Amino acid sequence: MWSVFRTVPVYIFIFMTGAAGLIYQVAWQKYLGRLLGSDSIATAIIMAAFLGGLSLGYYLCGRYTTRTQNYFKAYAVLEGIIGAWCLAFPIIFEVVQHLSRQWSFASPLWIILQGFFCSALLLGVPTVAMGGTIPFLTRGLSKNIDEATQVHAWIYGVNTAGAFMGTLIAGFYLIPQHGLPNTVRGTALLNLAACAFFYALSRLPQISPLPLLKNTPPATSEASASRLPARILYIIAFLSGLYVMTLENVLIRFTGFALGSSSYSFSLIVSVFILCIALGSFAVGRVKHHAGQILFINQLAITLSLFLVYLSLDTWPYWAHLIRITFQSNLPGMIGYYIYVFLALFLVFIIPVGFMGATVPLLFHEIKQDLQRVGRHSGFLFSFNTVGNLLGSLTGGILLYYFFNNSGVFLTALLLAAASTCLASWRLPRHYMVASATLCAVALFFLIATPFYNQNNFIKGTFREREPLDYSLALPDTFFHFFNTDNELKYFNDDPVSTVAVIEFPLNQRFGAKPLAIAVNGKNDSATLGDLSTLKLLAHLPALLSEQRQKMLVIGLGTGITAGEMTLYPEAQRIDIAEISPSVAAALPNFDEANHTVRNDPRVHIQIGDAFRTLTRSLEKWDIIASEPSNLWVSGVESLFSREFYRLAREHLNQNGIMAQWAQIYDASPTMLAMIANTMHQEFAYVRAFMVNTGDIMFLASNHDFSANDLIRAESVLSSNAKVSKSLGSISLGSLDSILIKEIWSPSYISENFSSSALQTLDHPRLHYLAAKDFFIGHQVPSNFLYSPISPAYVDDYLLAKKYPDWKHFPLSQDTFQSLLLSARDKDFSPPPILTSLTMKVFLNYPAGHTFTEQEKESFGTDLIPLITGQSSTRDDWRRVNLADASYREKAEELFKHIDTFRNWIDYYPIDGIYNLLREGMSQGVDSAERNWCALHLALTILREKGDQKMAKGIIDQLSRESDGSLLPSGEAEDLLNTVNALMRRSG
């Protein structure tokens, strides 16, 4: 008899191995995405290989349970195989990746054949072994035929509960914190531990399984004899798998639209789904006696509850908005938000998905006949159910979207559930069949007519709204009426990859046109006016600076404006576009006026598919690669910001080729941008950053630097191409200078200031998770991070300074400078810091060019300039800024505040006054704490201005210390000293 001491560890290991299975699935999906991409076809192939392996394992091991006597030993062997394979998986993957390097994976035939072969090679062994575990456990833990249902349900439930926990841990912690290799290898230890435990268990004689009865007819239990033919039960198992996976696919889409399509949202919906399935299985395990109609009631409850869920689908974005505005935009708020969303989803899914979780255990109860064959029945049922899962992944994730939108896919799953209800009424009284057939008819009508569903509620997502709107507390219909006011829907489609909408906004009086935007999964990805300067400069900045423009590649089609701008260069011979969504390509005619009818240009070739796979398998080389994917927090985008992707880009560029990379600075943090910059810098020797719009920056990467001659050539290209000049003129960029002044970071600046930042790699995809947090919190990158006060130390490395060697002073003609000012004043296309910097440059170097009002002088703090530069520092000067009686530290802090706000490479000016003030403070400060503060800031300023490092070290050596060696002020001084030492190490 089993004791608690023995039973509890068994179920703990069943839970742990269930968690391991889902951790592997999440990690394998990311691994195989490197080979096959992250589009719908690739995802379906990976899922097919995973589920196919499970199904084969269920079938083979279900049969084998009737031929073995030691079930725990067999189970231990399977866990050992899984653990050993996964321990070596990162190496196995590298081998398969290397051997398949020359394969094309071309869509659709070769990606199916080659992709499935590689997926089966990588996942076949562990997934077949995984599929064999439940049949052996069911047989090994069942003492008699009457308790087999409970044992099977508990095994299924505990294992699925582990899978729930594995999904959350993998998505929210393991992969973001530890990366893929460590996650897979660490998880393998769970399987190896289970192997050791169950092998030891199999050696105990008191729990050895019953001997096989040869040539003896199986004993049956009257109570558990099948009430339905086995073939009907297998069909129900198959249909259950089919509609469960179809539902999971489409509900991931609905949830992603309501919450935003991040990996956090994906992990959340999958984990809720799995938890509800586990609880449904537990419920069956708790019931000792099952009524004859229990399977029919189970399927009926699924169907009816799905009808109720359907009636709420088009209101999900509204309820998600109400939850979002309840929580503050900070990290605790984010944690609370996802917990609240988890609970809300749980309440929605517990009835339909909970009953789905009860289906397989109930089918097992119906079909079991004798103890000897319970493992076989369990294996066969799971095999049929998993084949249904496999086809559900393919049909619900891809095929059905060629015929239906999201609501139609959901209703198809509902219709399958209704059909399963009919089958469950097979031997019940006639009125059961009539009721279930009526349900089928109603479900079919709903599928054809899709009533009570408004697709306009999915034009744009509500997840960007962090604060309450005036109509937030109205009912859903009223809310969406106001939320979509002035938006005219021009195109809408749900395809296997995404939901795409083209939205027209009211007339813009300045441009005399109605702006258009393309939204993907509710997120505005590109607009014809709001993003115009970004989209155009992604084409023109690399094209003007490049030596060659014959072949160009654009990653991300969007409105087609970037590719359309490339067609303005007559030397362009081929322009390739990699776009993952077929609906984005189908929507292109809506933007003909904005993109020069790019779809009709014979030089343009659109390839539908994952861009990472396109670049990996292509033999082409380009002169320019312009990458403009979706935001980093969107799931699947992170690979396009990885070091491996930039290495591919570098390898696919012709000699002296240029890569342009878009990134957002809204909903972003300095850490995120620094990580992108450092990751690019690992593969490209020269990386520059330009602030091309108020919300966007563009990185320009190459393995050669630009000289003054390159800039002269670029200016010549611009002046000789009337179409390009006209196009740039429409966004107030009438000259090359007005483009180059948007530069914020030079190659040396990026190299020296971001080299210690983390890297984004495929093994450690941390950038996506960081971006998702930034998005929720709504981080905004400070202006002084972009237009940095330490950038003057690198001024000679900036392109405009290369063009004008005397840039530190005032090398521009009055006409040129006025042209720059005019461009900077265009608020639609120019970031505000540029105008501020140019205005300050006027004051410093060309006061006759602008008459400053007293209000402007106060706003720009012009009275502080003589004190900063050292031109004057009399008591009257300090009195003028109310600092005559201030301490040295207080004076310096005020000057540093001004520098942080206004000084950058554009309005370079000396800071001799700062140096003089800090030196005086070192010797004349009121106490040792102030003297130390001045000394540390002097050393820090010298290092940041690229001054004499020996001088900085000498200053540090003069610091005052307490008898115990500590600095004053305690804590603050130590932190400053650590910063100074870090700078010295970096520059030395």
Side-chain angles (χ1 to χ4, degrees), residues 808 865 868-871 903 907-913 915 945:
K808 292 181 182 179
I865 297 296
I868 294 173
T869 61
Q871 294 173 341
R903 187 172 183 255
D907 60 343
Y908 176 94
Y909 51 88
I911 55 171
D912 295 339
Y915 289 132
E945 292 292 312

Side-chain angles (χ1 to χ4, degrees), residues 647-848:
R647 182 179 301 130
L648 282 170
R650 174 172 55 79
E651 293 170 351
H652 284 79
L653 283 171
N654 288 319
Q655 186 176 7
N656 294 336
I658 300 175
M659 179 181 186
Q661 170 73 69
W662 166 87
Q664 86 271 11
I665 55 178
Y666 56 90
D667 300 333
S669 62
T671 304
M672 188 189 96
L673 295 181
M675 195 183 300
I676 297 172
N678 191 35
T679 303
M680 291 192 77
H681 179 59
Q682 299 305 309
E683 296 300 326
F684 292 96
Y686 299 93
V687 179
R688 298 177 181 274
F690 296 79
M691 192 173 178
V692 293
N693 204 338
T694 54
D696 304 323
I697 68 171
M698 177 175 63
F699 292 97
L700 206 64
S702 65
N703 277 321
H704 72 287
D705 201 5
F706 301 111
S707 65
N709 289 334
D710 293 322
L711 301 176
I712 293 171
R713 185 189 64 245
E715 198 159 39
S716 174
V717 172
L718 177 58
S719 62
S720 63
N721 191 321
K723 291 182 179 179
V724 171
S725 296
K726 180 180 179 181
S727 179
L728 287 172
S730 69
I731 54 172
S732 297
L733 297 176
S735 65
L736 182 65
D737 292 353
S738 61
I739 299 174
L740 299 183
I741 203 167
K742 292 175 178 286
E743 187 175 4
I744 55 173
W745 301 329
S746 69
S748 57
Y749 182 96
I750 288 174
S751 175
E752 294 187 19
N753 290 281
F754 300 143
S755 58
S756 60
S757 300
L759 296 176
Q760 163 76 355
T761 67
L762 294 178
D763 276 347
H764 294 85
R766 52 175 67 90
L767 189 56
H768 166 72
Y769 299 95
L770 172 63
K773 292 178 183 177
D774 289 342
F775 169 70
F776 181 89
I777 295 171
H779 276 143
Q780 297 295 322
V781 180
S783 290
N784 66 352
F785 176 78
L786 300 167
Y787 287 88
S788 171
I790 64 173
S791 63
Y794 307 87
V795 63
D796 294 333
D797 200 22
Y798 284 80
L799 292 180
L800 206 53
K802 288 188 175 187
K803 186 181 178 190
Y804 298 102
D806 196 28
W807 176 258
K808 292 181 182 179
H809 299 102
F810 199 78
L812 305 177
S813 69
Q814 185 175 354
D815 289 344
T816 302
F817 196 78
Q818 290 300 325
S819 175
L820 282 179
L821 278 176
L822 185 63
S823 172
R825 289 193 179 107
D826 192 331
K827 296 179 180 179
D828 288 325
F829 303 119
S830 182
I834 295 179
L835 180 59
T836 301
S837 298
L838 285 172
T839 305
M840 183 63 75
K841 196 171 185 69
V842 170
F843 175 81
L844 291 167
N845 302 106
Y846 189 53

Side-chain angles (χ1 to χ4, degrees), residues 51-97:
L51 295 170
L54 289 179
S55 179
L56 183 61
Y58 289 136
Y59 179 79
L60 294 177
C61 294
R63 296 190 63 177
Y64 191 69
T65 56
T66 61
R67 303 179 186 180
T68 186
Q69 295 187 13
N70 197 324
Y71 307 104
F72 294 126
K73 184 176 181 179
Y75 177 81
V77 170
L78 292 177
E79 289 294 344
I81 291 171
I82 297 168
W85 185 271
C86 293
L87 201 62
F89 185 84
I91 298 173
I92 296 171
F93 177 80
E94 292 296 331
V95 172
V96 172
Q97 188 178 41

